[in-house]
Amino acid sequence: MHARDLYSYYGKSPVLQGVSFDLAPGEFLSVLGRNGVGKTTLLKTIMGLTDRCAGALAFGDSDLLSLSTPQRSRLGIGYIPQGREIIPQFTVRENILMGTFARTDGRREIPEYLFEMFPILGDFISRRGGDLSGGQQQQLAIARALAMDPKILILDEPTEGIQPNIVKQIEQAIIRLNREHGLGIILVEQNVPFAREASDRFLVLDKGRVVMSGRSNELTDSIVEEHLTF
Amino acid sequence: MDVVFNQLFAGLSMASILLIIALGLAIIYGTMGVINLAHGEFVMLGAYATWALQSFAGLGVLAALPLVFAAVAAVGWVIEKLMVQRLYHRPLDTILATWGIGIILQQAVRLSVGAESRFVKGPELLSGNTEIGALVMSNYRLFVIAFSIFVLVGSWMLMTRTEFGTKLRAVIQNRGISECYGIESKRIYSITFAYGAGLAGIAGALITPLFSTIPTMGTGLVVDAFLVVIVGGLGSLIGAASASVLIGEATALLSAVMNDTLGRIAVLAGIIILIRFRPRGLFPSDTRN
């Protein structure tokens, strides 16, 4: 995925202002920054959920900005939004099956490894999504994205507000998906130690612009001090 | 006592027609939040299509049903594409726009077919009556009641047992995330609107042997269908079913006890009181936010 000079608007106000980044297949990119600097907007822009965009955004050979949101998803971009947004009235099974609607081969089965990765989803398969705890809903949201057999996952603060024992599980799952399944990952994260441990490269946003980027081992404490602490 | 049973049957017969009309309204509203004021004219189009098929092609009401469904659904699909789809961000304007479409459709029929009433023969097969004691039930009305139950069950299966239904329910609950998982919400809306219009067409076809077919016939029916949707709870299939029986029966019984006008007033007063205590209807659905 390549972004060049990307602008994204809500109404008339540009939330992203000239963002550029590159992500090679199978690479892990963390997007860092304080609240309200445009991290979530960057992911929404990739999915086509903002009002208007300018600049260039490519995924493989496809020009994303010319495609609708459903078309983008069918290219294999799995989006796990902030607040999870699972369908509360759907059962766990229906929520996961929903992910398969973005498949291009028309298959409608749930991959077995999802239940090995998140055993709780197998136990609660017939419960309504809205009845699960926050952490379980987050696992469900990740499973839903994986059911589409994506090439890349984009995750918006997947461990925010989740009980600590599940945070560890989710972090390990994300690392495993990247290392073992070769999935490309863009992760919006507040947790700097996890971003440093998991990702290949990082991007720091401030006021809609990229103020710093580099390899994860270059993510020094002074950068954290300058751009990420309040 | 016989009068009561016969009125109960008349009420059930009315309720079955109301149910088919109200189902279309409820599904369209529940899915896309559009209050479709052209719905009565879809009923009228269905009736005229049935009349045309019988007069020019010699088709009976029963044989016409699938054709009428397809034709009125196609009209609904075109209207959704041309107009309603552009107004999803302005729900209040869709009320005005669909009202305008209704007027255009009514005038178009008046200019092309004429304002005088048309008559459609009921099917020979269902011409007799079934009598149980003093209760006389026309076979055709019995068929309409059975058919409305079939439509209700069919719609419910469509919503809950098919992939289209799953996609539809996903879009109703969260349109944004549904699109992020490959669901073309615009296509879902178009199909849903067409389906609702097709149901109205079927209702129009079914009432042709019972009512005279005139350009304004949809207006009165759609008012009752709106009452059904409001009493039943917006977007609820079960609500639409029970409210149509309630309103159909109340109208029939009160009209028999008093007279048509007073009965009507009593029903409307009853609904106002009901809405005062249950503003979201009998079976409010919590799916739309």
Side-chain angles (χ1 to χ4, degrees):
Chain A
M1 183 173 290
H2 307 280
R4 285 289 165 276
D5 206 22
L6 193 59
Y7 282 73
S8 191
Y9 299 81
Y10 287 116
K12 285 208 158 66
S13 51
V15 181
L16 293 188
Q17 305 178 26
V19 169
S20 302
F21 66 86
D22 295 285
L23 184 78
E27 210 169 24
F28 193 138
L29 173 72
S30 289
V31 179
L32 307 165
R34 297 189 181 96
N35 288 330
V37 297
K39 303 189 300 294
T40 294
T41 303
L42 176 62
L43 299 193
K44 288 192 166 183
T45 303
I46 293 173
M47 291 315 295
L49 297 173
T50 60
D51 293 341
R52 194 164 67 80
C53 297
L57 181 63
F59 182 58
D61 299 328
S62 308
D63 167 23
L64 287 187
L65 296 188
S66 67
L67 298 177
S68 73
T69 300
Q71 286 170 331
R72 294 181 200 205
S73 72
R74 285 196 291 269
L75 294 174
I77 306 176
Y79 175 43
I80 294 139
Q82 197 169 31
R84 309 173 278 275
E85 299 198 27
I86 52 127
I87 306 285
Q89 307 261 339
F90 276 12
T91 62
V92 168
R93 182 196 303 282
E94 283 176 311
N95 267 292
I96 302 178
L97 275 179
M98 186 179 159
T100 66
F101 296 157
R103 293 179 71 109
T104 47
D105 59 9
R107 287 172 61 176
R108 294 286 180 266
E109 64 236 32
I110 301 174
E112 226 12 76
Y113 79 92
L114 293 183
F115 298 118
E116 176 222 326
M117 186 175 275
F118 303 120
I120 196 79
L121 298 182
D123 300 342
F124 289 171
I125 192 77
S126 298
R127 286 205 197 177
R128 295 207 311 178
D131 297 340
L132 302 187
S133 76
Q136 291 159 356
Q137 288 186 5
Q138 188 66 60
Q139 299 181 10
L140 178 55
I142 295 174
R144 174 175 66 182
L146 291 171
M148 72 154 71
D149 192 21
K151 297 191 182 73
I152 182 172
L153 282 185
I154 61 180
L155 303 102
D156 199 343
E157 301 200 27
T159 58
E160 184 198 24
I162 283 172
Q163 57 270 46
N165 58 328
I166 297 189
V167 166
K168 203 76 212 149
Q169 255 185 48
I170 288 174
E171 289 180 347
Q172 280 164 357
I174 294 170
I175 291 178
R176 200 181 128 195
L177 288 166
N178 177 249
R179 309 287 197 275
E180 291 174 24
H181 296 247
L183 279 179
I185 289 183
I186 299 179
L187 172 74
V188 164
E189 190 53 88
Q190 300 273 13
N191 176 351
V192 176
F194 174 58
R196 195 184 276 149
E197 177 200 340
S199 53
D200 301 311
R201 295 191 302 122
F202 73 95
L203 205 64
V204 180
L205 290 184
D206 201 358
K207 298 196 184 95
R209 294 189 164 83
V210 177
V211 289
M212 187 77 70
S213 65
R215 306 213 61 87
S216 291
N217 52 19
E218 298 161 7
L219 185 58
T220 60
D221 289 343
S222 68
I223 293 176
V224 173
E225 183 71 29
E226 188 185 343
H227 295 289
L228 303 175
T229 45
F230 290 89
Chain B
M1 202 61 211
D2 301 343
V3 181
V4 174
F5 278 121
N6 283 308
Q7 282 300 319
L8 276 176
F9 179 70
L12 208 55
S13 167
M14 193 58 225
S16 59
I17 298 283
L18 278 184
L19 172 61
I20 301 177
I21 305 175
L23 269 183
L25 271 182
I27 290 172
I28 290 174
Y29 181 82
T31 307
M32 42 194 124
V34 170
I35 294 173
N36 178 25
L37 286 185
H39 209 68
E41 277 61 44
F42 290 157
V43 176
M44 181 268 296
L45 284 183
Y48 272 93
T50 313
W51 167 77
L53 283 169
Q54 185 161 98
S55 318
F56 302 120
L59 277 182
V61 172
L62 299 185
L65 278 178
L67 294 174
V68 170
F69 176 79
V72 181
V75 171
W77 191 80
V78 169
I79 289 172
E80 201 276 344
K81 282 277 175 200
L82 290 181
M83 202 149 159
V84 181
Q85 191 155 95
R86 294 162 207 278
L87 295 173
Y88 282 133
H89 301 290
R90 295 148 62 187
L92 273 179
D93 293 349
T94 58
I95 298 180
L96 209 56
T98 52
W99 187 47
I101 289 170
I103 294 172
I104 292 171
L105 291 176
Q106 221 180 81
Q107 290 302 329
V109 168
R110 186 171 286 138
L111 289 174
S112 57
V113 187
E116 66 272 29
S117 42
R118 306 287 177 176
F119 298 95
V120 176
K121 272 208 308 286
E124 293 282 326
L125 191 65
L126 300 167
S127 57
N129 290 324
T130 300
E131 294 181 32
I132 303 174
L135 173 61
V136 182
M137 300 179 288
S138 114
N139 286 340
Y140 183 73
R141 287 181 186 263
L142 281 174
F143 164 77
V144 172
I145 292 169
F147 195 83
S148 71
I149 294 170
F150 165 76
V151 168
L152 176 68
V153 172
S155 299
W156 182 79
M157 301 274 276
L158 179 73
M159 300 281 271
T160 56
R161 293 283 184 273
T162 64
E163 183 167 313
F164 172 79
T166 308
K167 288 179 174 175
L168 176 66
R169 286 180 296 137
V171 170
I172 290 173
Q173 292 184 61
N174 189 333
R175 184 180 173 185
I177 201 69
S178 300
E179 296 206 322
C180 289
Y181 286 95
I183 301 174
E184 303 276 359
S185 61
K186 278 188 174 171
R187 213 176 130 249
I188 301 281
Y189 284 170
S190 302
I191 296 173
T192 306
F193 198 86
Y195 179 72
L199 287 187
I202 282 194
L206 287 172
I207 55 174
T208 48
L210 308 173
F211 291 78
S212 52
T213 300
I214 51 171
T216 52
M217 66 188 290
T219 316
L221 286 168
V222 84
V223 169
D224 281 8
F226 268 117
L227 293 179
V228 165
V229 173
I230 292 166
V231 169
L234 292 167
S236 160
L237 295 188
I238 287 299
S242 40
S244 57
V245 172
L246 195 66
I247 289 178
E249 291 295 1
T251 308
L253 290 178
L254 291 174
S255 301
V257 174
M258 307 182 233
N259 60 45
D260 280 359
T261 314
L262 283 178
R264 188 87 187 136
I265 292 172
V267 168
L268 288 173
I271 290 173
I272 291 170
I273 293 167
L274 183 83
I275 292 301
R276 167 65 185 79
F277 291 104
R278 289 194 70 103
R280 299 186 61 215
L282 295 174
F283 296 90
S285 77
D286 50 3
T287 51
R288 199 183 161 79
N289 42 24

